[in-house]
């Protein structure tokens, strides 16, 4: 069974069709890219999957379950985590808290437990803490645990955002332009990090990315959208030499 | 062990205060100032959960205080005093010790339920619009009570002192002082436990980036429900205590003026700081008393203070930091977060 199955997904904003008849099937352990020019509708696809928008038409099934009508936190609880195109960390809370809060859906204690500090509360909080520290350790962020995100370099903030998404312990990780705004050394780091996360956590990764070096070195499959419509789908080699893709990226005149 | 020092110190202070009151070393004036301080600490700390930690702008805290005050008063009057409208006391005076806490609890619960009037719209509405809703909620409560004849309407409601007298006749102690101080400790205790848990940290997560919170699996509606109901419930507790300290309530004392006062305390202390709220509530009460000689001019001086505060220190005295961030040594004695 495929992990994510999208059929005929369409989303309109008034007269604008941001996503048009989008289809994809993602298996376990894949790394796939979604590329396309600005405004092609890539982020909208992610927003539809995470439940932030509801589809106008079509279906999204995750682990065989229809996610239509679910609120974003419910979709996340099923095992879909994501990062954002612009960094959206909680900037007034330290890195450790940022990582901990992403475990909200499996806190495993009630408000009353919290007031009374019951044994259940204590064990659960300890467990949440342990997972957070392990993640910080694994992602080389331990030294920043008590820093506020806004005081960290941009590259580190990106890493924290990915760590926060991994704190959900997702089966599917959606990365929206993870390399945007990074210098070339940071991009190298990022490629290594994503590869390592993929191996270590056995997670399916789907990324939107403009930087071809990242896409080419990580993804086994690429999907290209333009004006909401899929224009190509294939291996990196196929995409690189696909005339429609080249046309979409460079515009009609240049060819 | 050392962590307990603070708690022990706190209870020692409470016992000392009660002893001072008991042996009439504190005159009634100081005693009542201290009790209003306690009520104000509860109000400021509870409003801080919404206005500070959650970053919403609730300006109807007085309304929830009013619900708590009237509901708990109604309970004790029904139970322990003779009332023209409500008839003879239902319970013997010996039960006042259990009756008052139960009445305070019921009052708080009623106020928490009243908090739904704001909590439910908050799922869809934020910022200015929600502020207007909180304002409306305050007005609804006041107008409703103004129109309820069985609690005296605009003339106010009394008879609560019978309960306090019952308790004092049984055991001669300054009972209301004890209840106010315990209520204050309870409020800070419950709020601190909430905001320092991973569950409670969902509240500032909503404040700092609601979309990120929802997408990182925080059930934002649920968190808003908890925050608003906890906040209004504790305001109701403050109201219940206030009503039994005074022995008399009227709707006007819970209008927008009261709500504003609480807001001033929160902004004075700092958004998202519990110790800040407590310190601000105490200083504000003292200031109000100190400025008593100014009479109505007080209401010129205090808003002016607010303007200066917003100009020069908009984050409040403490910002979102706790006492222990300023005096790290305190951490040895108590974990503030
Ligand atoms: N909430 C919305 N309301 C109206 N239009 C929207 C909304 N969200 C997205 N759009 C429009 O849908 C189209 C696709 O936007 P989207 O953000 O998905 O593009 P993208 O492929 O991610 O682009 P970029 O590479 O610039 O991030 C754009 O024309 C955008 O203006
Ligand atoms: Mg985008």
């Amino acid at each position: 069974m495929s992990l994510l199955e999208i059929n005929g997904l369409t989303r309109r904003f008034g007269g604008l069709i941001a996503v048009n008849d989008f289809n994809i099937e993602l298996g376990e352990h894949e790394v796939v890219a979604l590329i396309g020019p600005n405004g092609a509708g890539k982020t909208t696809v992610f927003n539809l999957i995470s439940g932030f928008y509801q589809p106008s038409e079509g279906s999204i099934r995750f682990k065989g379950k229809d996610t239509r009508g679910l609120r974003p936190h419910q979709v996340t609880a099923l095992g879909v985590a994501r990062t954002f195109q612009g960094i959206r960390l909680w900037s007034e809370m330290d890195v450790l808290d940022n990582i901990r809060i992403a475990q909200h859906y499996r806190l495993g204690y009630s408000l009353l437990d919290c007031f009374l500090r019951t044994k259940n509360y204590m064990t659960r909080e300890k467990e949440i803490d342990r997972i957070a520290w392990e993640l910080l350790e694994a992602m080389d962020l331990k030294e920043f645990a008590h820093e506020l995100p806004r005081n960290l370099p941009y590259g580190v903030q990106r890493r924290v955002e990915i760590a926060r998404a991994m704190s959900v312990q997702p089966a599917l990780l959606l990365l929206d332009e993870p390399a945007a705004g990074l210098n070339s050394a940071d991009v190298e780091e990022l490629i290594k990090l994503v590869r390592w996360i993929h191996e270590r956590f056995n997670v399916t990764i789907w990324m939107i990315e403009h930087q071809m070096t990242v896409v080419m070195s990580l993804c086994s499959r690429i999907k290209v959208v333009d004006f909401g419509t899929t224009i190509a789908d294939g291996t990196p080699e196929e995409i690189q030499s696909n005339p429609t893709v080249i046309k979409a990226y460079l515009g009609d005149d240049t060819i | 062990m050392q962590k307990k020092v603070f708690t022990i110190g706190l209870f020692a202070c409470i016992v000392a205060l009660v002893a001072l009151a008991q042996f009439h070393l504190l005159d009634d004036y100081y005693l009542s100032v201290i009790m209003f301080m306690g009520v104000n600490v509860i109000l400021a700390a509870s409003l801080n959960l919404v206005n500070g930690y959650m970053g919403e702008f609730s300006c109807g805290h007085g309304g929830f205080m009013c619900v708590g005050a009237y509901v708990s008063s109604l309970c004790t009057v029904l139970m322990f005093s003779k009332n023209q409208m409500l008839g003879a006391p239902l319970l013997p005076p010996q039960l006042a010790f259990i009756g008052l806490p139960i009445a305070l609890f019921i009052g708080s619960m009623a106020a928490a339920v009243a908090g739904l009037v704001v909590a439910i719209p908050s799922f869809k509405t934020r910022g200015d619009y929600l502020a207007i809703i909180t304002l409306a909620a305050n007005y609804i409560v006041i107008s409703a009570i103004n129109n309820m004849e069985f609690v005296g309407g605009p003339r106010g409601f009394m008879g609560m002192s019978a309960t306090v007298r019952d308790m004092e006749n049984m055991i001669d102690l300054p009972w209301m002082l004890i209840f106010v101080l315990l209520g204050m400790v309870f409020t800070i205790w419950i709020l601190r436990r909430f905001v320092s848990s991973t569950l409670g940290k969902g509240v500032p997560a909503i404040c700092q980036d609601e979309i990120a919170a929802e997408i990182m699996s925080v059930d934002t509606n649920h968190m808003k429900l908890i925050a608003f109901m906890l906040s209004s419930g504790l305001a109701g507790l403050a109201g219940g205590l206030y009503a039994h300290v005074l022995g008399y309530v009227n709707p006007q004392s819970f209008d927008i003026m009261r709500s504003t006062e609480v807001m001033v305390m929160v902004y004075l202390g700092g958004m998202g700081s519990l110790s800040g709220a407590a310190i601000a509530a105490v200083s504000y009460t003292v200031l109000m008393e100190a400025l008593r000689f100014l009479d109505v001019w007080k209401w010129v001086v205090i808003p002016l203070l607010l303007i200066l505060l917003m100009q020069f220190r908009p984050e409040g005295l403490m910002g979102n930091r706790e006492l222990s961030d300023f005096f790290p040594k305190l951490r040895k004695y108590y974990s503030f977060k």
Side-chain angles (χ1 to χ4, degrees):
Chain A
M1 191 184 67
S2 50
L3 186 68
L4 181 74
E5 211 184 315
I6 296 181
N7 280 311
L9 185 67
T10 301
R11 171 70 210 207
R12 293 181 209 94
F13 292 110
L16 176 87
I17 305 180
V19 177
N20 188 12
D21 192 23
F22 187 90
N23 300 288
I24 198 169
E25 220 173 283
L26 294 188
E28 310 260 348
H29 209 61
E30 273 196 287
V31 182
V32 180
L34 179 62
I35 65 171
N38 288 102
K42 307 177 298 293
T43 300
T44 306
V45 171
F46 276 17
N47 283 339
L48 286 161
I49 297 170
S50 37
F52 189 64
Y53 296 142
Q54 289 299 318
S56 305
E57 274 162 46
S59 72
I60 303 169
R61 300 181 85 78
F62 181 72
K63 292 179 180 164
K65 192 180 181 323
D66 194 339
T67 66
R68 252 176 318 180
L70 294 185
R71 298 199 15 239
H73 75 266
Q74 294 168 316
V75 177
T76 308
L78 293 176
V80 185
R82 68 175 282 188
T83 62
F84 299 90
Q85 192 164 343
I87 290 176
R88 306 192 78 140
L89 290 164
W90 298 299
S91 53
E92 301 291 325
M93 284 187 282
D94 66 15
V95 169
L96 182 63
D97 276 343
N98 268 272
I99 309 277
R100 280 200 281 224
I101 294 169
Q103 304 183 42
H104 236 253
Y105 75 96
R106 53 184 156 82
L107 287 179
Y109 61 80
S110 67
L111 185 60
L112 203 63
D113 282 321
C114 164
F115 290 156
L116 301 176
R117 297 274 144 117
T118 57
K119 204 162 144 257
N120 179 37
Y121 172 88
M122 291 306 202
T123 32
R124 282 301 306 146
E125 281 283 340
K126 234 182 234 139
E127 177 69 8
I128 289 163
D129 223 39
R130 188 186 61 76
I131 292 172
W133 278 107
E134 258 179 35
L135 210 55
L136 287 177
E137 172 95 71
M139 297 196 45
D140 214 10
L141 288 165
K142 217 171 162 184
E143 56 185 308
F144 307 116
H146 295 298
E147 298 282 346
L148 296 184
R150 63 178 151 81
N151 298 335
L152 297 173
Y154 195 76
V156 179
Q157 290 190 29
R158 281 268 172 211
R159 228 162 55 211
V160 173
E161 215 191 17
I162 295 175
R164 182 177 71 170
M166 288 315 294
S167 176
V168 169
Q169 300 185 331
L172 172 64
L173 177 63
L174 306 174
L175 301 173
D176 196 344
E177 303 199 18
L182 298 187
N183 60 35
S184 52
D186 282 342
V187 169
E188 281 307 310
E189 282 286 306
L190 177 84
I191 294 174
K192 268 192 242 154
L193 179 71
V194 172
R195 190 175 286 139
W196 177 82
I197 286 176
H198 180 236
E199 293 307 323
R200 155 112 190 227
F201 297 100
N202 194 23
V203 59
T204 302
I205 296 176
W206 190 8
M207 67 168 81
I208 297 172
E209 189 48 71
H210 283 299
Q211 297 203 26
M212 279 307 135
T213 46
V214 179
V215 174
M216 292 303 163
S217 48
L218 287 169
C219 305
S220 55
R221 191 145 68 89
I222 300 174
K223 208 166 167 68
V224 191
V225 285
D226 192 16
F227 294 112
T229 313
T230 306
I231 56 170
D233 192 349
T235 63
E237 294 73 36
E238 288 167 359
I239 296 299
Q240 259 175 326
S241 53
N242 184 318
T244 336
V245 176
I246 296 167
K247 208 166 106 186
Y249 264 92
L250 302 178
D252 277 322
D253 321 334
T254 43
I255 295 187
Chain B
M1 181 56 219
Q2 245 184 354
K3 294 248 174 206
K4 293 248 163 28
V5 170
F6 187 89
T7 319
I8 295 168
L10 186 69
F11 277 94
C13 284
I14 291 178
V15 171
L17 265 179
V18 172
L20 284 178
Q22 176 65 6
F23 300 113
H24 303 288
L25 296 171
L26 271 177
D27 67 28
D28 280 355
Y29 170 69
Y30 285 111
L31 194 61
S32 66
V33 171
I34 289 171
M35 288 195 279
F36 290 134
M37 249 178 219
V39 170
N40 283 341
V41 168
I42 301 177
L43 287 172
S46 58
L47 184 64
N48 205 356
L49 182 59
V50 169
N51 286 32
Y53 289 90
M54 199 156 69
E56 281 301 350
F57 194 77
S58 166
C59 34
H61 217 48
F64 304 120
M65 185 187 179
C66 184
V67 172
Y70 269 84
V71 172
S72 60
S73 301
L74 201 59
C75 289
T76 53
V77 168
L78 272 174
M79 289 190 281
F80 304 109
S81 61
K82 214 165 76 194
N83 182 290
Q84 286 175 340
M85 291 253 191
L86 305 166
L90 296 173
L91 297 176
Q94 293 85 333
L95 290 177
F97 289 105
I98 323 164
L100 182 60
I102 291 178
L104 290 173
F105 178 76
I106 296 174
S108 310
M109 286 297 136
V113 172
L116 284 174
V117 175
V118 176
I120 291 173
S122 80
F123 296 168
K124 291 253 157 69
T125 319
R126 289 211 69 168
D128 306 356
Y129 302 102
L130 191 65
I132 292 169
I133 291 174
T134 61
L135 204 61
N138 201 155
Y139 275 108
I140 290 172
V141 173
I142 305 297
S143 315
I145 300 222
N146 266 325
N147 287 301
M148 287 182 188
E149 261 319 301
F150 69 100
V151 288
R155 285 178 326 266
F157 186 60
M158 52 208 248
M160 292 78 91
S161 34
T163 312
V164 184
R165 228 178 301 116
D166 283 345
M167 292 197 294
E168 281 167 357
N169 287 342
M170 299 271 300
I171 303 173
D172 182 29
L173 277 175
W175 283 108
M176 278 326 291
L177 178 68
I178 295 176
F179 272 99
V180 168
L181 292 176
L182 289 182
M184 182 180 89
V185 170
F186 171 77
T187 300
I188 301 284
W189 173 81
I190 210 169
L191 285 173
R192 196 187 71 85
R193 288 199 159 186
F194 179 60
V195 297
S196 63
S197 69
T198 306
L199 176 69
K201 281 181 183 150
V203 173
I206 292 176
C207 170
Q208 288 162 36
D209 190 331
E210 184 169 356
I211 290 172
E214 178 73 31
I215 288 199
M216 298 320 297
S217 88
V218 176
D219 185 345
T220 53
N221 286 358
H222 184 66
M223 291 314 297
K224 287 176 185 176
L225 210 59
I226 296 178
F228 277 110
M229 291 183 78
L230 189 57
S231 169
S232 56
L234 290 169
L237 173 66
L241 289 166
Y242 175 83
H244 288 83
V245 167
L246 278 184
Y248 165 78
V249 282
N250 62 2
Q252 295 85 296
S253 46
F254 304 106
D255 64 4
I256 195 71
M257 200 77 156
R258 167 80 57 183
S259 306
T260 312
E261 232 183 359
V262 185
M263 265 157 48
V264 172
M265 290 180 232
V266 170
Y267 294 107
L268 184 68
M271 318 277 275
S273 164
L274 273 181
S275 38
I279 292 170
V282 170
S283 351
Y284 180 85
T285 320
V286 171
L287 192 68
M288 285 302 268
E289 292 306 320
L291 294 180
R292 198 170 268 276
F293 70 93
L294 289 176
D295 209 32
V296 194
W297 284 97
K298 199 166 65 174
W299 288 109
V300 174
V301 174
I302 287 191
L304 195 67
L305 213 67
L306 196 60
I307 292 174
L308 290 176
L309 188 72
M310 289 295 124
Q311 253 321 298
F312 297 106
R313 205 171 161 78
E315 75 275 24
L317 294 176
M318 311 267 286
N320 63 358
R321 286 160 296 184
E322 294 293 346
L323 213 49
S324 54
D325 297 325
F326 292 96
F327 307 103
K329 280 201 179 127
L330 281 175
R331 266 187 218 131
K332 265 198 294 199
Y333 304 109
Y334 189 70
S335 49
F336 282 81
K337 285 190 182 170

